[in-house]
Amino acid sequence: MDETTRTEIEAATFRRLVAHLQADTELQNIDLMNLAGFCRNCLAKWYLAEAEGREVDTDYASVREEIYGMPYGDWKAKYQR
């Protein structure tokens, strides 16, 4: 597999994971942390670190909104138990 194809597949897989987490709002971050060792906030932090490493101008709130599909405060008010 060439690197371009690998990157495209990895990107599509990441987008699918994010879409799944956005759709499954019953799955709480604490449950993810306990079972998988990461949560939506971890994904946002990893995303931000990669963006910063490539000198992309972004911030944690914007990245977290990408992961949650809405501002974090809105998600927390609607779905966090």
Side-chain angles (χ1 to χ4, degrees), residues 13-14 17-18 20-21 27-46 67-68:
T13 302
F14 175 77
L17 172 62
V18 169
H20 175 77
L21 292 174
L27 181 57
Q28 298 292 299
N29 281 333
I30 190 69
D31 298 330
L32 279 169
M33 285 299 294
N34 288 335
L35 294 171
F38 75 96
C39 68
R40 292 170 182 90
N41 292 323
C42 296
L43 287 176
K45 289 174 184 175
W46 298 339
I67 299 298
Y68 282 88

Side-chain angles (χ1 to χ4, degrees), residues 40-61:
R40 292 170 182 90
N41 292 323
C42 296
L43 287 176
K45 289 174 184 175
W46 298 339
Y47 189 110
L48 181 61
E50 292 299 325
E52 288 174 342
R54 290 164 174 75
E55 299 180 357
V56 173
D57 186 28
T58 192
D59 60 75
Y60 185 53

